Amino acid sequence: MNEKEDKDILSDTEALFAEFAEDNDEPEAKDDDNSVSEEEMWKLLIVDDEEDVHQLTRFVLDDYVYQDKKLKLISAYSAEDAKVLLEQNSNIAVILLDVVMETNDAGLKLVEYIRENQQNHFVRIILRTGQAGYAPEKQVILKYDINDYKNKTELTDQKLFTVITASLRAYSDIITIESYRQHLEDKVAERTRELQEKNEALVKLNEQLIQINQEKNEFLGIAAHDLKNPLSSIQSLANLTRTSFDDFPKQKLIDFAQMIEISSNKMFNLIKNLLDVNAIESGKMNFSLTQLDVFPFLQVVVENNQGAANSKKIGLQVHREEEEYKAIIDENAILQVLDNLISNAIKYSSEGKNIDIRILKGENTVCCEIQDEGPGLSEKDQKQLFQKFSRLTPRPTGDEHSTGLGLFIVNKLIHIMNGSVSYKGKLGEGSTFVIELPST
C-alpha cells in the first residue's frame, strides 16, 4: 500500500471505532457465552494480511448474534493459511476476504480455489479490499463467484453488521434449501431402491413361475409318456383276457395277471415319486429326527431288494465293523434313501455283478457307501445327478423302469436330515454313492 492509502485506512478505522462507541446498543447484541459449542455458532473466516483489520472486525462483531447463534471468528493472514483453515473447518458460513496479500491477486485465486477445487458454493464470500485498483469491482463481480464487494473504507460498524446479516441470511436459506434437496434426494433414492428391490423380487418370482411352468410341462410330458406304456399294456391284456378268456390255458392267464401287476407297479412307483417330490418341495412331508442305529434299516432294505438282485444273479455284500451305527435320522426318510440307492445299483448292474455296501463310523458321522460294477457315469451325466427328471445316459439292464426322480428325492431327504450325498466314479469304472449323516 502507498502512504496515502495507509492514512485513509487509519482515518476510517478511527472513525469506525468512534461510531461504534457512540452506538453500541444493537438489538442483536448479547453477552458472550463460552459454553456454546461450535455447532451452535456461525463460522466467519477473516482473510487479511493486516492485524488491525482482524482486531477491528472482532471488536465490531464481538457480541453479534443471528438466529440465536453467535459468531465464531477464525483468522487467516494469507490465502495459503486460509486454504488450510478451510480444510480444517467445515461449514464456514461467511468469508471476509482481502484481495492483495502475498500476491496482488491472492484473494481472487482463493475464490477460484474455494469454488472450483473445493466445490464449495454455499459459503458467502465478501471481497473486502483497500486497494480497489488491483481488483476493479465490475470486472471482479463478472469474473469471480463472489457474493459482495466492499471497499474497506465503506465498512462502518453498521454496514459490516448489515453485510454479515444479509450474508448469513442467504447462507441459512441456501443450507435450508440444500437440506430439503438432500432430503428429497434421499427419499427419491430410498423409493428407487424400494422399487428396484420390488422389481428384482418380481423378476425372481417371474423366473420361479417360469421354472414352475416348465417343470409342470415336463412333469406332464414325463407322466404322460411313462404312464402311457403300462396303461396300454394293462388295457391290451385286460381286453385280451375279457374277449378270449376261454381260449387261454390257466398258466397263460396267470402270466397276463403278472404282466398287469408289473405295469401297475410301474405306474404306482411313478405316481408315488411324483407325490413325494410335491410333498418334499411344499413342506408337507413330516419328519421326526431321532438318534437311531442305521444298520437295522440297512438290513431291511437289503432284504427287500434281495429278490431283484437274485433275479439278475447280482451279489449284495454288506460290510460292517461296528455293532451299531447311531445317527440323527428320520425312519421313513432313511428307508427311502437306502432303497433308492440300492435298487438303482441293482437296476443299472448287469447279470453276475456284485454290489458292495459298506457302513462306516466317522468322528461325528455315519457313512454308507453303495458301490456297483455298472457302467459308471460320464462327466456330463455327473453334472445332472440329483436334478429333477434327469435322464442319464446309462439305461436299466433288465428293462426296469426309471422315473428320473429317485436321486432327486435322495438328495432332498438327505439334506433334510442335515447330511450329504455324493458320487465317486468314472465312466466304465462303476459308481459309488456315499451318504453321510450326523451322529450327534
Side-chain angles (χ1 to χ4, degrees):
M1 296 183 183
N2 57 40
E3 185 175 347
K4 181 178 182 304
E5 288 174 332
D6 287 341
K7 289 180 179 179
D8 289 342
I9 293 174
L10 181 60
S11 173
D12 290 325
T13 301
E14 291 172 349
L16 181 58
F17 272 107
E19 185 178 346
F20 185 77
E22 292 173 0
D23 186 13
N24 60 357
D25 192 24
E26 293 293 346
E28 293 285 1
K30 293 186 179 180
D31 293 336
D32 189 23
D33 184 0
N34 295 327
S35 65
V36 179
S37 66
E38 288 190 9
E39 289 74 15
E40 298 171 323
M41 302 176 76
W42 303 106
K43 290 184 181 180
L44 186 148
L45 177 61
I46 308 166
V47 186
D48 203 295
D49 57 355
E50 296 184 41
E51 177 61 33
D52 288 347
V53 173
H54 287 269
Q55 292 182 4
L56 180 59
T57 305
R58 289 178 178 276
F59 181 78
V60 172
L61 300 174
D62 182 50
D63 290 329
Y64 178 90
V65 174
Y66 177 70
Q67 292 181 350
D68 296 326
K69 293 169 67 175
K70 288 188 174 184
L71 283 176
K72 175 179 174 60
L73 301 177
I74 305 168
S75 289
Y77 294 88
S78 68
E80 291 303 314
D81 289 345
K83 289 179 181 179
V84 174
L85 290 170
L86 284 164
E87 293 292 339
Q88 295 174 348
N89 294 271
S90 61
N91 304 327
I92 290 178
V94 180
I95 299 176
L96 292 172
L97 177 61
D98 193 11
V99 176
V100 180
M101 291 178 284
E102 60 262 52
T103 62
N104 290 339
D105 62 349
L108 299 178
K109 293 293 184 184
L110 182 60
V111 173
E112 291 180 334
Y113 173 81
I114 293 169
R115 299 305 194 201
E116 296 175 13
N117 292 60
Q118 287 196 324
Q119 289 293 305
N120 184 345
H121 299 284
F122 302 140
V123 63
R124 304 294 86 191
I125 301 177
I126 303 166
L127 210 62
R128 184 171 62 166
T129 180
Q131 304 181 55
Y134 284 103
E137 181 175 353
K138 185 175 180 180
Q139 295 178 19
V140 169
I141 287 290
L142 290 173
K143 185 176 180 180
Y144 296 93
D145 185 5
I146 63 172
N147 305 105
D148 208 342
Y149 182 105
K150 298 293 181 184
N151 281 312
K152 291 181 180 178
T153 55
E154 297 176 345
L155 285 176
T156 61
D157 68 329
Q158 183 58 51
K159 287 186 177 179
L160 184 59
F161 175 91
T162 301
V163 167
I164 295 301
T165 301
S167 299
L168 287 176
R169 181 180 292 118
Y171 176 80
S172 176
D173 290 344
I174 289 170
I175 293 301
T176 300
I177 293 170
E178 173 61 17
S179 175
Y180 289 153
R181 185 197 67 79
Q182 187 62 52
H183 177 71
L184 181 59
E185 195 173 271
D186 291 342
K187 284 293 183 183
V188 170
E190 182 182 347
R191 294 292 184 269
T192 302
R193 283 194 301 271
E194 290 176 357
L195 287 172
Q196 287 176 339
E197 290 172 359
K198 289 179 179 179
N199 186 56
E200 289 172 1
L202 285 172
V203 169
K204 289 181 180 178
L205 181 59
N206 187 53
E207 289 173 351
Q208 290 174 356
L209 289 173
I210 291 172
Q211 183 179 355
I212 290 170
N213 187 57
Q214 289 174 341
E215 289 181 355
K216 179 204 71 175
N217 292 335
E218 191 173 8
F219 158 73
L220 291 174
I222 290 174
H225 177 270
D226 286 5
L227 289 174
K228 181 180 179 181
N229 289 339
L231 275 174
S232 296
S233 177
I234 291 172
Q235 186 179 30
S236 297
L237 291 169
N239 182 62
L240 190 60
T241 303
R242 179 181 62 81
T243 58
S244 306
F245 181 81
D246 294 330
D247 298 335
F248 294 110
K250 180 180 179 181
Q251 185 57 48
K252 195 66 175 178
L253 293 173
I254 292 173
D255 292 341
F256 286 169
Q258 288 178 338
M259 293 168 69
I260 290 172
E261 184 180 11
I262 291 171
S263 295
S264 63
N265 283 335
K266 286 182 180 180
M267 291 193 302
F268 175 81
N269 289 332
L270 173 61
I271 293 170
K272 179 179 179 298
N273 280 342
L274 290 171
L275 291 174
D276 286 343
V277 168
N278 181 66
I280 292 169
E281 292 190 325
S282 62
K284 294 179 180 178
M285 185 174 282
N286 296 320
F287 296 92
S288 177
L289 298 180
T290 313
Q291 189 180 50
L292 298 168
D293 187 1
V294 177
F295 189 73
F297 297 96
L298 178 60
Q299 283 182 305
V300 169
V301 174
V302 170
E303 289 172 5
N304 289 342
N305 283 276
Q306 193 66 59
N310 290 340
S311 67
K312 297 175 72 173
K313 299 181 176 60
I314 292 173
L316 290 180
Q317 306 294 329
V318 178
H319 307 273
R320 63 182 295 193
E321 295 179 353
E322 307 286 341
E323 285 299 317
E324 62 178 12
Y325 297 86
K326 286 191 174 181
I328 308 298
I329 57 173
D330 175 84
E331 295 186 30
N332 293 324
I334 193 63
L335 285 170
Q336 194 167 357
V337 165
L338 292 172
D339 184 68
N340 264 305
L341 293 177
I342 293 174
S343 64
N344 264 3
I346 296 170
K347 191 182 299 182
Y348 291 95
S349 293
S350 300
E351 287 192 10
K353 299 294 185 179
N354 291 307
I355 295 173
D356 291 298
I357 303 164
R358 290 179 288 273
I359 186 164
L360 308 165
K361 185 184 291 187
E363 185 175 348
N364 295 305
T365 60
V366 169
C367 174
C368 186
E369 299 179 352
I370 294 93
Q371 181 179 10
D372 64 44
E373 297 175 353
L377 297 175
S378 65
E379 291 184 5
K380 181 181 178 181
D381 282 335
Q382 290 180 37
K383 291 178 182 179
Q384 298 180 58
L385 275 176
F386 310 116
Q387 293 181 11
K388 195 188 300 183
F389 300 120
S390 59
R391 297 289 191 177
L392 306 180
T393 304
R395 308 308 304 161
T397 59
D399 198 30
E400 296 97 337
H401 182 63
S402 174
T403 63
L405 292 170
L407 291 178
F408 174 80
I409 293 171
V410 165
N411 188 47
K412 288 289 186 181
L413 294 177
I414 283 291
H415 280 89
I416 288 170
M417 293 187 287
N418 302 308
S420 65
V421 57
S422 58
Y423 172 84
K424 296 191 298 185
K426 294 181 181 179
L427 187 62
E429 297 182 5
S431 297
T432 301
F433 285 88
V434 182
I435 61 170
E436 285 190 275
L437 298 162
S439 57
T440 56

